[in-house]
Each structure stands twice: as structure tokens, then as C-alpha cells.
């Protein structure tokens, strides 16, 4: 019995000491490392946040139409200026290229090779960051804690070529989903393009790498920009900017079997411009042409078209009116109006004036006076007297 009591007492003592130790560890102050402090200070993205911005790809069985389009965004255009400014870091605000390059060199998002129309986003085609920086002459140093498996680099703000990135290539995906019965447009990837002078002069474009848009979305959602010069309040984030389609980009290529761009398929600039407009209009009107309008919609469309035709008819009739002409006949002036005015309630001002002029009385022509016999005889006598006086005697 004594041994049992002793064992029980020791067991209770051990359990109480373990519980006390757990309470001390839970309530004690734990010091964080410098790396943890930096990560907490910088705006991080958790796995849950990353999963919130990832879009699930539509199953092939639910797709009835799919089109992949390549667009070129010129940052000199007004709607695309939000991607270029601010050129330098101002109050924590960065442009799109600085955000992409910082995430790539820190190893937070992967970058993929630019394969000129055959983009493959797999581990086999991931970009070696060090080789990429050397290829484009961007000076960088290895960061602390960088390893061969997880290389990271540090680039000074003055060495970032933000002013040379004047174009972006984006890969759009247009797909019609049978389940939602809607045409969806998503940006799949973004590629920054360096604009530098070539070896033989002229401006040359150098595509750097592709970055998947879903990997960028959590970081772009934290960067707000203002779109217009009228309102300087940054109301939209960069994520909203791309999802709402606020950019202005021309189509330079579509996915095709021969992997040719529109410039190769249409050497003439006018033909290429017509092809770009045709592709863009076809994509934007694809969803509208799938449905048969109801009776109410058809009548509303018919009324609107008839109203436009009436307005166009009135404008054409006004344009067909000829100006008022004034013809001088001898000492008098005759006004000739060549317009025809119909009897309508709403008569234009120009036709009303013309109608008034048509009703005006024309000035009567001067009739030569009939000569009386007395006046004719007097005239004859006077003429005879003159002729007699002029004779030579």
C-alpha cells in the first residue's frame, strides 16, 4: 500500500509540473527573428488569400467556344498610363513593372520563358532569374539567405529599368461557358517588354518573361491607382483594372495552327487593321448572336431602327435643299427658289424661309410705253430739222 501511495503521488506531481510548464510556455514572451519581423512588416499573402484569387478553369465539357488572343498595351496611350506611373516609388506606390520584378527576384511568384506564341506554364519552362537579369543587363546582388534551390536577389531602385518598359503583352482567353450561358474574358498571363535602341538604330522590343495573372492578383489587389485626370482619388486596384478591361490594347496575334502573327498573315497595314477590327467585333458580339430575341425585344429594336431612319431621312432632305439664287434681268432682280417644301407640322427653319420667299411677289417687268401719233410726228419733225441743219449748203 505504501508503494502504491508513493507512485500515485509521483505521478500527480509529474502531471502538475508538465501542465505548469505548458502554461509558462504559452504565456511567456517569444522573441521573433529578424526574418520573421521583415515578413510581418511587408504586405504578405497567405495561402488562403492566394486561393481566393485563383480562378478555376472551365471544364472542357462545358466549353462550346474558346479563343486565345494576344494584345499589345502601349503605355503612351491614355487608358494605359496607370500601368506606367509613378515611375519611381512614391509613398509606397509602385508601378506594375516594379511589382512584377520585385516578386520575381524575391522568389514569391514564378516566371516562364517567352516562347513567341507557344507559351507553356510548367516547371520545365521556368525562368532562371539570375540568367534573365544578366541577359537584360540588370545589375543585382544575391540576397541574404539565398540558396541554389531558392535563389533571391536584391536590386537597387536606381537599377530597375522601369522607364524602359513601355509595352506589355497580355494573353486573353475568351470562352463561352454552357453552364453560365455567358461569354467570359480573363487575362491569363502578362509579359513586360523592354524598349531599347537596337544595334542598327530604331526602337527594338525585348519581351522578358511571362507571369501568370492568378499569381499576381493578390499583390495587385493591394495597389490602387487612379484612372482619369479628373478624379485623383485611387478608386480602382490594378486587379480591378485588368478584370474590368479598362486597358486599351490592339490585337497582334491569335492562336493559330501556323503560329503566325497578324503582321505575317496580313502584310498590308490596312488589311491588318480590318482584320483586328473584325476579330474584336466578332468576340464582343459572339454572345449577343447566340440568342433569339423575344417579341418585346424585337419590337423595341424595330422602333429604334425606324427612329434612326426617320432622323436620317430628315437630315438628308435638309441636305438636299438647294440654296436660293438671285438672277438679275435688266434693271430688276428676280429671286428663284428651287426647294420644294412639304406641308408638315414640324417644318425646318430653312424650308420655312424658303416658303416665305416663294410667296413673295415678283417685281413686274417694265413695259415699254406705247407711242402716240402726236409724239411720233413731233419726233419725226425734230429729226428732220436736225438733219436739215446738218446739211451743207
Amino acid at each position: 500500500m505504501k508503494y502504491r501511495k508513493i507512485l500515485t503521488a509521483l505521478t500527480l506531481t509529474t502531471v502538475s509540473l508538465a501542465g505548469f510548464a505548458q502554461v509558462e510556455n504559452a504565456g511567456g514572451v517569444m522573441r521573433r527573428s529578424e526574418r520573421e519581423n521583415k515578413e510581418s512588416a511587408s504586405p504578405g499573402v497567405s495561402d488562403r488569400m492566394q486561393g481566393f484569387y485563383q480562378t478555376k478553369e472551365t471544364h472542357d465539357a462545358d466549353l462550346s467556344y474558346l479563343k486565345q488572343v494576344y494584345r499589345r498595351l502601349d503605355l503612351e496611350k491614355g487608358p494605359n498610363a496607370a500601368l506606367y506611373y509613378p515611375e519611381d516609388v512614391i509613398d509606397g506606390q509602385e508601378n506594375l513593372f516594379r511589382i512584377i520584378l520585385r516578386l520575381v527576384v524575391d522568389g514569391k511568384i514564378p516566371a516562364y520563358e517567352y516562347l513567341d506564341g507557344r507559351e507553356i506554364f510548367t516547371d520545365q519552362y521556368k525562368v532562371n532569374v539570375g540568367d534573365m537579369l544578366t541577359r537584360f543587363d540588370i545589375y543585382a546582388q544575391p540576397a541574404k539567405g539565398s540558396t541554389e534551390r531558392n535563389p533571391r536577389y536584391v536590386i537597387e531602385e536606381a537599377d530597375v529599368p522601369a522607364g524602359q518598359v513601355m509595352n506589355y503583352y497580355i494573353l486573353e482567353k475568351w470562352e463561352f461557358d454552357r453552364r453560365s450561358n455567358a461569354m467570359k474574358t480573363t487575362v491569363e498571363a502578362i509579359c513586360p517588354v523592354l524598349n531599347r535602341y537596337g544595334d542598327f538604330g530604331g526602337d527594338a522590343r525585348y519581351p522578358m518573361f511571362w507571369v501568370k495573372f492568378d499569381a499576381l492578383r493578390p499583390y495587385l489587389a493591394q495597389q490602387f491607382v487612379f484612372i482619369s485626370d479628373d478624379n485623383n482619388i485611387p478608386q480602382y486596384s490594378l486587379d480591378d483594372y485588368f478584370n474590368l478591361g479598362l486597358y486599351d490594347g490592339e490585337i497582334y496575334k491569335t492562336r493559330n495552327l501556323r503560329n503566325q502573327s497578324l503582321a505575317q498573315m496580313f502584310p498590308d497595314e490596312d488589311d491588318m487593321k480590318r482584320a483586328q477590327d473584325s476579330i474584336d467585333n466578332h468576340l464582343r458580339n459572339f454572345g449577343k448572336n447566340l440568342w433569339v430575341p423575344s417579341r418585346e425585344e424585337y419590337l423595341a429594336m424595330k422602333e429604334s431602327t425606324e427612329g434612326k431612319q426617320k432622323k436620317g431621312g430628315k437630315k438628308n432632305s435638309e441636305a438636299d435643299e438647294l440654296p436660293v439664287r438671285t438672277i438679275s434681268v435688266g434693271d430688276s432682280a428676280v429671286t428663284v427658289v428651287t426647294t420644294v417644301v412639304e406641308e408638315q407640322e414640324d417644318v425646318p427653319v430653312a424650308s420655312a424661309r424658303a416658303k416665305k420667299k416663294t410667296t413673295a411677289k415678283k417685281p413686274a417687268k417694265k413695259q415699254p410705253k406705247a407711242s402716240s401719233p402726236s409724239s411720233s410726228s413731233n419726233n419725226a419733225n425734230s429729226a428732220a430739222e436736225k438733219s436739215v441743219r446738218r446739211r451743207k449748203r
Side-chain angles (χ1 to χ4, degrees):
M1 293 294 294
K2 292 182 179 179
Y3 291 107
R4 291 181 179 178
K5 292 180 179 179
I6 293 171
L7 290 173
T8 305
L10 291 173
T11 304
L12 293 173
T13 305
T14 305
V15 172
S16 62
L17 289 174
F20 180 74
Q22 290 179 0
V23 173
E24 285 292 321
N25 291 333
V29 178
M30 301 289 293
R31 295 187 60 185
R32 292 184 177 181
S33 62
E34 294 181 359
R35 181 178 179 181
E36 292 177 351
N37 289 331
K38 290 181 180 179
E39 290 179 355
S40 62
S42 61
V45 175
S46 61
D47 295 337
R48 183 179 179 183
M49 187 176 181
Q50 184 72 40
F52 176 76
Y53 285 99
Q54 287 181 353
T55 56
K56 294 183 180 180
E57 295 185 0
T58 308
H59 197 271
D60 294 339
D62 298 332
L63 286 177
S64 61
Y65 181 83
L66 176 63
K67 188 76 170 180
Q68 290 184 339
V69 178
Y70 295 83
R71 291 184 184 270
R72 178 171 54 247
L73 307 184
D74 187 3
L75 301 190
E76 293 183 356
K77 294 184 178 180
N80 303 329
L83 304 179
Y84 180 79
Y85 295 101
E87 186 177 356
D88 299 326
V89 181
I90 301 175
D91 296 335
Q93 297 290 324
E94 297 177 311
N95 59 11
L96 180 60
F97 178 69
R98 287 184 177 272
I99 295 174
I100 293 176
L101 187 63
R102 175 171 54 82
L103 295 175
V104 169
V105 298
D106 288 346
K108 294 183 179 180
I109 61 173
Y112 301 92
E113 292 286 348
Y114 178 82
L115 301 177
D116 194 12
R118 302 187 185 275
E119 284 69 36
I120 304 174
F121 304 115
T122 59
D123 295 340
Q124 182 181 358
Y125 294 94
K126 281 186 178 180
V127 170
N128 189 333
V129 180
D131 296 342
M132 182 269 297
L133 295 176
T134 305
R135 188 192 316 160
F136 295 107
D137 297 330
I138 301 176
Y139 181 73
Q141 294 179 351
K144 293 182 180 180
S146 177
T147 59
E148 294 182 359
R149 294 183 178 180
N150 187 17
R152 294 184 301 165
Y153 299 89
V154 177
I155 304 176
E156 299 294 334
E157 293 184 2
D159 297 328
V160 178
Q164 299 178 5
V165 178
M166 300 301 299
N167 293 277
Y168 283 97
Y169 293 158
I170 63 173
L171 176 57
E172 282 184 348
K173 183 186 290 185
W174 294 71
E175 56 186 11
F176 185 82
D177 190 359
R178 293 178 180 175
R179 294 198 175 189
S180 61
N181 291 330
M183 192 76 170
K184 296 189 299 184
T185 307
T186 56
V187 178
E188 190 174 0
I190 301 175
C191 174
V193 182
L194 286 174
N195 289 40
R196 291 176 176 175
Y197 288 100
D199 297 334
F200 301 97
D203 191 8
R205 299 189 182 97
Y206 300 96
M208 298 182 66
F209 50 80
W210 286 102
V211 177
K212 297 194 71 175
F213 182 68
D214 286 346
L216 275 175
R217 288 189 64 188
Y219 304 95
L220 299 182
Q222 302 176 11
Q223 189 73 27
F224 287 84
V225 294
F226 62 92
I227 306 301
S228 63
D229 295 334
D230 296 333
N231 190 359
N232 298 142
I233 299 177
Q235 297 178 338
Y236 298 93
S237 64
L238 287 175
D239 182 43
D240 300 331
Y241 177 85
F242 284 102
N243 287 327
L244 297 176
L246 301 178
Y247 52 85
D248 182 10
E250 62 176 3
I251 300 174
Y252 73 92
K253 187 177 182 179
T254 59
R255 182 67 61 89
N256 55 79
L257 296 176
R258 293 179 293 177
N259 193 27
Q260 291 182 350
S261 63
L262 293 181
Q264 295 173 340
M265 297 172 65
F266 303 97
D268 187 41
E269 294 184 359
D270 296 335
D271 294 341
M272 186 178 69
K273 181 62 177 175
R274 284 193 290 268
Q276 291 173 343
D277 296 338
S278 177
I279 295 170
D280 203 354
N281 294 331
H282 173 69
L283 292 173
R284 299 186 185 280
N285 297 325
F286 182 83
K288 298 179 182 179
N289 298 331
L290 291 177
W291 307 106
V292 177
S294 62
R295 184 175 182 276
E296 291 76 10
E297 293 175 350
Y298 175 75
L299 293 176
M301 292 169 58
K302 188 177 180 181
E303 290 179 0
S304 62
T305 53
E306 288 178 356
K308 291 180 180 179
Q309 290 178 358
K310 287 182 179 179
K311 291 181 180 178
K314 288 183 179 180
K315 291 181 180 179
N316 294 333
S317 63
E318 292 177 5
D320 293 338
E321 290 180 357
L322 298 177
V324 178
R325 295 180 297 170
T326 304
I327 302 175
S328 60
V329 180
D331 297 335
S332 61
V334 180
T335 304
V336 180
V337 182
T338 58
T339 56
V340 178
V341 182
E342 298 179 357
E343 295 181 358
Q344 296 179 357
E345 294 180 1
D346 299 333
V347 180
V349 178
S351 60
R353 291 177 179 175
K355 190 173 182 180
K356 288 182 180 179
K357 290 184 179 180
T358 54
T359 56
K361 294 182 179 179
K362 296 182 180 180
K365 294 182 179 180
K366 293 182 179 180
Q367 299 287 340
K369 294 183 180 179
S371 57
S372 59
S374 60
S375 61
S376 59
S377 61
N378 293 333
N379 292 334
N381 296 331
S382 62
E385 290 176 359
K386 290 180 180 178
S387 60
V388 170
R389 290 177 181 176
R390 288 179 182 175
R391 289 179 182 179
K392 295 182 180 180
R393 292 181 180 179

